[in-house]
Amino acid sequence: MKHHSLLLAALALAAAASLPVMAQTTRVLSPDGLTYLDVKFADGQLSYSAGYRTIAKAKKKGAKADTLDVPMVLDSPLGVYTNVADFSKDLTLKETIRHEGTIKHSYHLRQGKQSEINSEENGLGLVLTTPQRRNGGVIMTVQFAVFNNNIAYRYRFLQGGETGAIVITGEASGFRLPTDATAFICQQSDPMVGWKRTKPSYEEGYIWDEPVTKRSQSGQGWTFPCLFHEGDKGWLLISETGVSSNYCASHLSDATPDGLFTIAFPMEGENNGFGSTGAQIGLGNSNTNANDDMTGYTPWRTITLGPTLKPIVETTIVWDVVEPLYEPSIDYQGSRNTWSWILWQDPSINYEDQIKYIDLAAALGWEGCLIDGGWYEHIGREGMEKLFAYCKQKGVRPWVWYNSNGAWNDAPQCARQAMHNSIVRKKEMKWLRDGGVAGIKVDFFAGDKQETMRVYEGILSDANDYGIQCIFHGCTLPRGWERMYPNYCSSEAVLASENLYFSQGFCEQEARHACLHPFVRNTVASMEYGGTVLQKRLHKEPGKGNTRRTSDVFELATAIAFQSSGQNFALTPRNLTEQPQFEIDFMKQVPTTWDETRFIDGYPGKYIVLARRHGTRWYVAAMNAEPAAKQLSLDLRVLDGFHIESATLLTDGPDGQTPQQTTAKPDKKGLIQLTLQPQCAAVLF
Ligand code: CA
């Protein structure tokens, strides 16, 4: 916590003694002066509001520029409920500490949307106490970080008396939006429902551009991240980061009729009803330098806002405010994997079919092959060891599926009872490492309770000891994990490609979802979608299964648009002979790790133009989900070092059904003109 240490040390000192403050509003501006946060203390309660400022040029030389506040989060409550005291009311504000100068965050992110990140914040800290005599001297601090277009805050509880540990039972933390704002949000599922009682797993449908006051069908509220549109004022994204074994993961309640969403803790029924819905935390020490003391913190709540969608798509806030929790044991790499299960399903989890998919990975020059659930019964450990040896011979790294269970749901697939505690895990990890396995995919987790966060962290930490990466499915949203856990790879936490196989209705919606994810789910976390389907029909047998509605180039474009350092692509052995060669050539060279991500144009669920850079090469995906052809006039000169004149252009042809490779031809103004048919795309690289 280097960057925050000065502020925290100051908070700790201030906690000791100072005069109470009756009422005050403190404004913090972002380093560029355009994002504001107002923190208000009045009548023993803490609240905040936030937005951005527009600055009109001064009319006369030397005159002051006119600034105008554009509020996006209206006066919203702060505070925490604990088992020793209610820290949402009757508070005494002991101290307000402004961090002098900006706090800089410079770090390398191996596996996110950007590799070298330099961001800056202005910081503010508050120290508060409650009057209760029986709270054991517990002190609450609130830490605010205001970045350009991004705001984060978290609480920390410090020991000021006898009490050394508390239980957080809930939070008053809220987000009040104007009632005419609209929402792109995904509801939280009821617990212990769905297939083999495996929900919630962040696989519900979205509401699209609907009023913020709409109630969720389940009545359980909405999962992070949550995207909101405030008309001409702009866009707002709310999420959460820094959730480790030290806390539960939370979500948003339904909004009140006047537009207030509040932080909601896990549901009682999650994890088969076992474990607390709250968080058990140790208190930080207010008498020592807080440098290495990680205790007492809650996760960060994050807000990204601005007049356009650019800050939403390009945000790095969820990584800026967290730190690695351990060192990587090896130099982890991104991986493109073949994956038989997605189109050949359960019957393909046998030795012979896995050989075919290892051969496919080798033919494509990909790094890995994922052997999915059912291997324990149908291939067995000896058979797996033979497959591992075959992988080695072919230069392909195996990835292996596990059931996280245990004890928390009815998911039957094996291997089970191998990931739920550290004793069995370490034994399993050793076997995997000895077999040259690069990573595991662990499925069917039990929700958002702290109890389950401890399972995730235990798997990640043990896997790192054996040089193994982790993908999670049937799982929660990862919250800052790409940076916190160096061997973390990716998570599902989305209605993913398996639904194309299961439902024609989902195929009809594929383009729409694909043009939503870069703005919401995928902008705050890696998304293991398992996409790029090149077969027209979703089945092992020709002529069977659901029909894909998107074009070939649309599917290729998802390999750029969907960010995940490990991608389990849905290519099949048939694709090698049935597809145009340039499609296969593209998939042979598309990377999965990115140095830079730039938003060019788009609207959630309608269309997107997104550019990502790997090394010196830019990849641009332009995708249309609207029912009519889309005319785009793109200025790609904003991409540093992109040579448009020599770029390769993949399109679906004028009819949307004739995939072709040409070279990009900018017009006289240097713009690229594209016409995208419905559910079609263009790729430039
Ligand atoms: Ca799933």
Side-chain angles (χ1 to χ4, degrees), residues 58 154 167 392 438 443 669:
R154 67 174 172 179
V167 172
K392 199 170 182 189
D443 212 332
K669 290 179 184 161

Side-chain angles (χ1 to χ4, degrees), residues 203 473-474 492 498:
E203 297 180 25
H473 265 236
E492 184 181 33
E498 61 188 3

Side-chain angles (χ1 to χ4, degrees), residues 494-495 513-523 527 529 562:
V494 68
L495 270 174
H513 283 106
C515 289
L516 177 70
H517 297 319
F519 298 97
V520 192
R521 164 66 183 82
N522 204 187
T523 192
M527 182 176 80
Y529 182 87
F562 296 169

